[in-house]
Amino acid sequence: MPESAPDTTSLGKTDLQVSSLGIGTLQWGDNQCGYGKQYDDAQLKEVFNAAVKGGVTFFDTAEVYGYQNIKKGQSSEQLLGRFAKQAPDTPQPLVVGTKFFTVPWTNLLVGGGFRLGRQSMISALKASLQRMDRQQIDLWQIHFPFPFFKQTTLADGLQEAMDLGLTTAVGVCNYNTAQLEEMHSLLDRKGIPLATNQVKFNVLERDPEISGLLDKCQQLGVTLVAHSPLQQGILTDKFVTGGGPQAAEKARVLLKLMQFIGAVSGGRTVTQVALNYLMCKGAIPIPGCKTVPQVQEHVGAMGWRLDSNEVAIIDEKLQSM
């Protein structure tokens, strides 16, 4: 039987409170993902509003998401910024996160100057804020570690963003355990909590848990944010009975088990079980969505929890696969 659960959690040791599930906007504004053909601004605004009405308060974007449409005002940051400005009233404030792309020649994608050093980070953040029509972002994250930027330089940039009041909290993405510990230590010396580490984590790809990264995040008080929580759509009801890529075929037995667990947990879908599993592990999943039915299904993963026995059954099946 599903256990009741709160709908909100904190981002690390910061004062930011967010929904236990967020929404990722990687596909928003990206023509290669069908933007402009399969879905448009009006549809995405409906998706955003449905998410907010369903209790989602955490939205994740990045300066390079949908960069092809920056000049048209239709990149992910720009779309999310507009939608957030026009959002319906919510009991809890919305929390929006964006990211700094650490590749020096990112200017070729989003404009601005060549990226080296702390000041290029601040310039990039100010450009993000301008695109989102904001004075301050809630969560500013390093998109991934890159050799051209030393950890000390990145930490200094995060500190300056905090000192200038350009962000409320800071985080990282795609950091392994050693990188996480180093950045946490650098920021801790500055009196700044590291709020988040966003990595790929789902039922089929459990490296953060297996490697010890999830445990380390919890030890340090860093919230693990899980991108790709549905493994590109494999962890859905769509492939339970057949079809799909080879990865779906390999996961068929697991999908059927998750479908059964969902059925006895109040009629939940495979998608909802997959997302809830990550919440039970202490992560915040941020699935992407392009339609209202998708976001409504995602929202249905909140407000309850798989019990410990159900989580253990899934873990046991994964070990035997």
Side-chain angles (χ1 to χ4, degrees):
M1 294 293 293
E3 301 173 346
S4 61
D7 286 333
T8 60
T9 186
S10 61
L11 287 184
K13 295 180 179 179
T14 74
D15 294 329
L16 291 176
Q17 292 289 314
V18 298
S19 50
S20 55
L21 173 143
I23 295 297
T25 63
L26 170 67
Q27 300 167 323
W28 293 16
D30 192 332
N31 300 120
Q32 295 180 345
C33 294
Y35 174 75
K37 294 183 179 180
Q38 300 173 15
Y39 56 98
D40 57 17
D41 296 12
Q43 182 172 323
L44 291 177
K45 185 175 182 180
E46 290 179 0
V47 168
F48 176 86
N49 287 338
V52 172
K53 290 177 182 178
V56 175
T57 62
F58 182 34
F59 294 86
D60 179 77
T61 185
E63 58 178 341
V64 295
Y65 293 171
Y67 70 87
Q68 307 96 325
N69 285 306
I70 286 178
K71 292 183 179 179
K72 296 179 180 179
Q74 295 173 319
S75 70
S76 176
E77 282 187 329
Q78 291 163 321
L79 293 171
L80 182 56
R82 284 200 296 275
F83 299 160
K85 285 276 187 182
Q86 303 163 6
D89 292 335
T90 59
Q92 295 288 333
L94 300 183
V95 173
V96 176
T98 192
K99 309 181 191 75
F100 169 72
F101 209 65
T102 47
V103 177
W105 46 92
T106 302
N107 61 307
L108 299 177
L109 304 180
V110 302
F114 191 75
R115 297 188 172 185
L116 282 178
R118 185 179 76 252
Q119 287 308 310
S120 67
M121 295 175 63
I122 301 303
S123 296
L125 176 53
K126 289 179 177 179
S128 284
L129 292 173
Q130 184 175 17
R131 283 190 289 270
M132 302 185 78
D133 192 20
R134 298 173 63 113
Q135 298 300 310
Q136 182 184 65
I137 196 70
D138 300 303
L139 176 67
W140 191 41
Q141 306 152 93
I142 304 301
H143 208 138
F144 50 82
F146 196 74
F148 282 87
F149 281 89
K150 294 180 180 179
Q151 289 272 63
T152 51
T153 300
L154 294 173
D156 287 344
L158 294 175
Q159 178 186 22
E160 183 164 348
M162 293 282 290
D163 290 344
L164 292 173
L166 300 178
T167 186
T168 302
V170 295
V172 294
C173 305
N174 304 301
Y175 270 45
N176 62 30
T177 303
Q179 292 163 339
L180 177 77
E181 287 185 294
E182 182 182 3
M183 181 57 78
H184 179 274
S185 176
L186 288 169
L187 291 177
D188 188 56
R189 292 175 206 161
K190 301 173 184 291
I192 299 172
L194 179 61
T196 57
N197 184 21
Q198 184 181 140
V199 295
K200 187 173 186 179
F201 183 30
N202 59 62
V203 175
L204 294 174
E205 295 205 18
R206 296 165 56 238
D207 183 67
E209 183 175 15
I210 296 169
S211 69
L213 176 62
L214 179 61
D215 283 343
K216 182 55 65 175
C217 283
Q218 293 171 345
Q219 290 171 17
L220 297 176
V222 177
T223 297
L224 190 143
V225 178
H227 74 72
S228 308
L230 299 176
Q231 188 65 344
Q232 285 70 54
I234 291 176
L235 293 168
T236 65
D237 288 273
K238 183 166 54 177
F239 300 124
V240 172
T241 57
Q246 186 177 8
E249 179 65 36
K250 292 181 179 179
R252 200 85 66 206
V253 174
L254 176 65
L255 293 175
K256 290 179 179 179
L257 171 63
M258 294 170 69
Q259 184 182 55
F260 173 77
I261 290 175
V264 299
S265 296
R268 313 293 179 177
T269 66
V270 170
T271 292
Q272 290 166 345
V273 171
L275 295 171
N276 200 272
Y277 173 88
L278 296 177
M279 296 179 206
C280 291
K281 296 290 184 178
I284 300 177
I286 51 167
C289 51
K290 298 177 288 187
T291 68
V292 170
Q294 275 183 328
V295 78
Q296 289 173 335
E297 183 177 23
H298 296 162
V299 165
M302 291 195 293
W304 60 282
R305 288 292 184 274
L306 297 167
D307 63 38
S308 57
N309 184 56
E310 290 165 335
V311 173
I313 290 172
I314 293 174
D315 285 339
E316 183 178 351
K317 178 57 67 176
L318 288 167
Q319 290 172 5
S320 68
M321 287 175 61

